[in-house]
Amino acid sequence: MQLRTHLEIDTSLSGEIIELSEGSAVLKLKTDRRMVADEKGLVHGGFIFSLADFCAMATVNEPTVVLAQASIKFLKPVVVGDELIAEGRLIKAEGKKRWVFVEVKRGEEKVAEGEFLCVVPEKHVLS
C-alpha cells in the first residue's frame, strides 16, 4: 500500500513508514540532537507526539485527513539516540470520523500511547 497523505512531512522529525496496510501503520523514528530539550538529552514530548500523530494520519491514509482531537499519555522518558516504533490501528470509523489508537515503543517498552480522532473532509481544509 502507498502513503496518500502528509506527503511533504519531514520524516526525520515525524517518523518513517515501515509498514502500511488498510487500517494500520507502523513508523520508526530515530531521535537525534534536534529533538533534545535539556542538557541530559531528554527528547521533547512534541516529537513523540508528532510521531504518534503522523502514525494516526498514515493509519487513516486519506489525502485530506486532519487531526480533530488527541488524548496521549507519556509513560516513560525518551533520550537522544533512542529508536521509537509507533504502531497505529483503526479502532472505529463513523461517517467522516476515524478513531485510531497508537502505541509508541522503545524496544518492548511502551513510552507513550494515545487515541486520535481524525476527520476526512471532502476537500483540503485550506481549500
Side-chain angles (χ1 to χ4, degrees):
M1 176 175 256
Q2 185 172 336
L3 184 66
R4 299 180 309 190
T5 190
H6 290 62
L7 299 177
E8 298 293 320
I9 202 162
D10 185 339
T11 58
S12 74
L13 294 173
S14 298
E16 169 189 343
I17 304 283
I18 55 175
E19 290 179 32
L20 188 61
S21 59
E22 190 70 33
S24 69
V26 180
L27 280 68
K28 175 175 66 173
L29 179 67
K30 177 74 171 177
T31 61
D32 65 36
R33 295 285 321 155
R34 296 173 298 166
M35 302 168 188
V36 170
D38 64 21
E39 71 284 352
K40 293 191 182 261
L42 179 68
V43 170
H44 188 278
F47 294 100
I48 300 163
F49 182 86
S50 182
L51 170 64
D53 175 29
F54 183 35
C55 185
M57 299 300 105
T59 298
V60 174
N61 202 21
E62 292 288 345
T64 60
V65 64
V66 292
L67 182 63
Q69 183 177 336
S71 174
I72 190 165
K73 290 187 260 183
F74 297 96
L75 305 169
K76 301 276 184 179
V78 173
V79 295
V80 68
D82 284 351
E83 185 173 276
L84 304 177
I85 301 292
E87 297 183 26
R89 63 181 166 80
L90 183 66
I91 54 175
K92 182 179 175 184
E94 186 177 282
K96 296 178 182 183
K97 297 178 181 178
R98 308 287 185 276
W99 286 265
V100 177
F101 183 74
V102 177
E103 287 185 325
V104 180
K105 293 183 177 178
R106 173 182 48 227
E108 293 300 312
E109 183 178 38
K110 192 184 313 182
V111 298
E113 66 180 12
E115 189 172 304
F116 295 77
L117 171 57
C118 308
V119 177
V120 183
E122 291 179 21
K123 59 184 181 177
H124 193 284
V125 294
L126 299 179
S127 295

